[in-house]
Amino acid sequence: MKAIKKSLTEEEYLYLDFSHQTKGCIFPLHTSVTLFLLSYCDCKIFKICLVVTKEVSTDSSLLRDDLIQDVEIQIISRQELPPIVQNCCLPAVVERSDNFCRAGLAVVLRHIIQKSYEADPLKKELLELLGFKKTCLKACAEVSQWTRLCELTIPLAIENFLRESSDQPPTIPVEILQLEKKLSEPVRVHNDDKLRRQKLKQQKADGVGPPLTKGKAKSKVHMQETSEELDSSSESLELKVAFSKLTVQEEPATTNREPSHIRKAKASDLPPLEHVFAEGLYFTLADIVLLPCIHHFLVIICKKFSEKLVEFPLLASWYQRIQEVPRVKTAASKCGIQFLHLPKLLTVSTEQRPNLSEVPGVEEHSDPLFIGGPRPTMAKLMEKGIEVMFSPHPCPTWTVDWNVLPAAVSPKEGKMSSDRALRKQQQLNNLVYVVTNQAKPGDRIVDFCSGGGHVGIVLAHMLPSCQVTLIENKELSLIRAKKRSDELGLSNIWFIQANMEYFTGMFNIGVALHACGVATDMVIEHCIKTRASFVTCPCCYGFIQNTSKFNFPKSEQFKKTLSYKEHMILCRFADQTAVQLPPQRRLIGKQCMCLVDLDRARAAEECGYSVQVISMEPESCSPKNNMIVGVPI
């Protein structure tokens, strides 16, 4: 009870978009998903506000069938949102202080789960929704194709499908085909080998046919037979493991040692594990997100185009199985979702089944490591007049007078060694100098990928006439930053836990210290869209790869000279700048680092920016000591 009372005193507002409604469905679907999770968690610790963008009926009784029963919901206009939320995409959660906001579907849902558990620690099953190591949907959508599919593309695709469905057979969203394909792939879990050996033992005991060998893919017939076995037999290993989690029991295990032929079986000869839920064996937040979306998709399919249902046997099995999860039916009914009774799917012919091999993959894999050094690539660039070139440092000896600043401003207040704290101060000297020389009173400055706020807190303290916003996906880092800010009494600072694409506010200067991989490119792109200046210090060049948003090389000049593979050679070797490496190798790493950043600079110049690539001073402040400084012309 003490935990519940504590949570109730920490008043938080949950803001959800509301455009319109149909039977059992609130639009946008992000709102339906959030309300379903609140119902599943039986969470009543947030004050819920539906945010409308145009005139809609404020008669809450008209919404009652589709919203959570016995939860008070307020309807407000976008103009009534707190200023910090007006700069973010919804859904969003704001603490009473109005300077700490969590925005974006995955971040908000994870927060609801955490707060629900804190309010009632007996509900340990809620934490299981966050998956193994509590990372379910934690990676941002630009990096994880699975997060992107669940959080962004499937809800949007289903919304468009519901809007466009007519009496004509619809075009099935490619995202639905991707999900069906995902459910056909073998499951990988942390105890994969152990469970597969248990499954092999079970198959041998049941007299089931021999397992797959050499890692070959299953035929469609075998896949369907296995899927049907999984659905019909409550004794299958996958179902035992999955539902043991849901009933808070130990996973099935054998007390006797496995027979020698099972123990010695090659990994390639072990049978694959089948999907029980969306991510594999366990019911997670991904299933919560997908359920309202897939339900409304199936409603249209069953009502108007029932012959299409046979194309999605795995999705239909998932939909039926998820209803067996404790509390799901109750939570769904409170949200106006009435589950469908799907017909028993007959054997699907090859002609009826979609060709899943032609569906784009859900996961995007990076290229394997390249063989060979960077010299041929660098020589190719030199032939086109592209050479390593740094702009002069505007003020190499300038430093912040750290001795006169309050202790909480200095990175020494963080949990780091004195040597590392000194290097961090040196890095900040460079970024702070450039930003403070550009900033004007009233400017808005955004510290992207802010971490514990080392950059943003210094800027907020030194530029009291500017508004500084810290954006970071890691909650604990932002909480530490807010604690330091509160100690300083800063009133010109905001904290937003979100992926940067959910920040929609206008700003004048964007800054990022050691934004990893393509995060630097995301920061530069965000600044260019807003016509803001940018000061970035890149990091983790080896993580750079083509994504849904970016293709490398980026600039026309580099594209005409290098292939993607050749550019990746530069990126891989750009990470070889550690002090432990031989000097010559570090020099080549530094040159590759400069060339990768020159490509970024040229791409920004093509968008109307004046850009410099500068080496931070002293160079010993970090192995990743480049700064890319851009100002709109």
Side-chain angles (χ1 to χ4, degrees), residues 205-425:
D206 295 342
V208 178
L212 298 177
T213 59
K214 307 301 182 185
K216 292 182 180 178
K218 291 179 285 184
S219 67
K220 288 183 179 180
V221 174
H222 179 81
M223 174 66 74
Q224 186 181 328
E225 288 173 352
T226 310
S227 178
E228 289 173 355
E229 289 170 7
L230 190 61
D231 288 338
S232 61
S233 173
S234 60
E235 297 301 313
S236 75
L237 177 77
E238 286 90 338
L239 285 173
K240 281 183 180 180
V241 171
F243 281 90
S244 68
K245 280 271 188 181
L246 294 169
T247 54
V248 199
Q249 298 172 0
E250 289 297 320
E251 292 181 11
T254 55
T255 54
N256 299 325
R257 195 178 186 192
E258 293 164 344
S260 174
H261 69 283
I262 301 294
R263 204 168 57 250
K264 295 180 180 180
K266 295 180 181 178
S268 58
D269 291 336
L270 298 177
L273 298 175
E274 307 288 345
H275 277 260
V276 178
F277 296 111
E279 288 196 328
L281 301 185
Y282 307 123
F283 181 69
T284 67
L285 182 57
D287 297 285
I288 294 282
V289 172
L290 292 171
L291 179 57
C293 302
I294 301 306
H295 168 75
H296 295 299
F297 167 76
L298 291 176
V299 166
I300 297 297
I301 292 294
C302 291
K303 185 176 181 181
K304 298 183 178 181
F305 317 103
S306 57
E307 70 281 0
K308 288 273 186 182
L309 186 61
V310 296
E311 297 182 13
F312 311 104
L314 302 179
L315 202 56
S317 293
W318 168 84
Y319 177 76
Q320 291 170 319
R321 191 175 300 118
I322 207 170
Q323 299 175 44
E324 302 171 25
V325 175
R327 301 202 316 276
V328 162
K329 281 189 175 180
T330 302
S333 65
K334 287 184 177 180
C335 296
I337 296 175
Q338 301 300 321
F339 281 113
L340 302 169
H341 296 286
L342 299 182
K344 180 72 175 177
L345 294 183
L346 302 176
T347 301
V348 184
S349 68
T350 305
E351 290 76 18
Q352 288 174 299
R353 291 264 330 247
N355 188 355
L356 296 180
S357 64
E358 298 177 357
V359 178
V362 173
E363 296 293 339
E364 182 176 295
H365 300 285
S366 60
D367 282 3
L369 294 175
F370 302 109
I371 300 174
R375 288 185 177 86
T377 304
M378 296 169 69
K380 196 172 181 181
L381 289 170
M382 288 180 65
E383 290 173 5
K384 298 293 183 179
I386 304 172
E387 298 185 49
V388 174
M389 181 178 59
F390 288 98
S391 299
H393 197 291
C395 193
T397 60
W398 184 86
T399 65
V400 176
D401 190 351
W402 296 99
N403 293 324
V404 302
L405 295 177
V409 174
S410 173
K412 288 184 178 180
E413 285 296 290
K415 295 180 179 179
M416 62 177 71
S417 66
S418 57
D419 287 345
R420 188 183 172 203
L422 174 61
R423 291 195 300 273
K424 184 65 68 177
Q425 285 180 338

Side-chain angles (χ1 to χ4, degrees), residues 434 438-440 443 506-510 523-535 601 603-612 628-633:
V434 177
Q438 288 187 15
K440 303 181 297 294
D443 274 357
M506 298 299 294
F507 60 100
N508 306 95
I509 303 173
V523 170
I524 293 174
E525 181 202 46
H526 218 90
C527 293
I528 290 174
K529 281 185 177 179
T530 316
R531 302 306 294 173
S533 300
F534 57 82
V535 184
E605 287 170 354
E606 291 165 6
C607 296
Y609 273 68
S610 171
V611 188
Q612 295 178 306
I628 311 174
V629 180
V631 180
I633 299 174

Side-chain angles (χ1 to χ4, degrees), residues 486-539:
D486 290 344
E487 289 177 20
L488 294 164
L490 298 176
S491 60
N492 61 330
I493 191 167
W494 282 347
F495 305 88
I496 298 178
Q497 184 197 353
N499 298 330
M500 67 180 76
E501 67 176 11
Y502 294 122
F503 175 73
T504 58
M506 298 299 294
F507 60 100
N508 306 95
I509 303 173
V511 59
L513 174 58
H514 289 158
C516 292
V518 294
T520 288
D521 302 282
M522 292 163 58
V523 170
I524 293 174
E525 181 202 46
H526 218 90
C527 293
I528 290 174
K529 281 185 177 179
T530 316
R531 302 306 294 173
S533 300
F534 57 82
V535 184
T536 65
C537 175
C539 191

